[in-house]
Amino acid sequence: MLESLIALIPPSLVLSTLLTLIWATAWFVLQGGTGWDWLLDILTATLGFAGGQLLGRLVQLPLPAVGEVHVIEGTVLCLLALIVLRRRSSR
């Protein structure tokens, strides 16, 4: 039963989730903070990466992608979202 549910998860979703967690955790390690900051970083990175995915699909830039995952666009928007979050929360 569990194996059949796992088979329904698209590989692009798994890769996007892993990249989001890697970027958010790396950002947290570099910036520091509390556990709540890490959770907020994960949420922000997820929204940023999803925005990058959407941008990549809409604009169709000739940038390399891994399957359906627009890694460059997702990473750039993910990092921009994390930068904006830290700048706003440091005020």
Side-chain angles (χ1 to χ4, degrees):
M1 172 89 177
L2 182 61
E3 293 169 356
S4 62
L5 290 176
I6 291 174
L8 295 175
I9 300 172
S12 59
L13 179 62
V14 174
L15 178 60
S16 296
T17 303
L18 287 174
L19 288 172
T20 299
L21 287 172
I22 289 168
W23 287 126
T25 302
W27 180 262
F28 174 75
V29 168
L30 291 173
Q31 299 293 317
T34 65
W36 288 110
D37 292 330
W38 183 57
L39 290 175
L40 190 56
D41 288 345
I42 290 173
L43 176 63
T44 302
T46 302
L47 293 174
F49 200 91
Q53 285 295 101
L54 180 62
L55 180 70
R57 284 183 179 241
L58 292 176
V59 177
Q60 293 293 320
L61 294 174
L63 297 172
V66 177
E68 296 178 8
V69 180
H70 298 273
V71 177
I72 295 172
E73 296 94 326
T75 297
V76 169
L77 262 75
C78 172
L79 294 176
L80 284 174
L82 289 168
I83 289 169
V84 168
L85 173 71
R86 281 298 163 125
R87 295 211 181 221
R88 291 201 48 108
S89 63
S90 67
R91 290 182 178 181

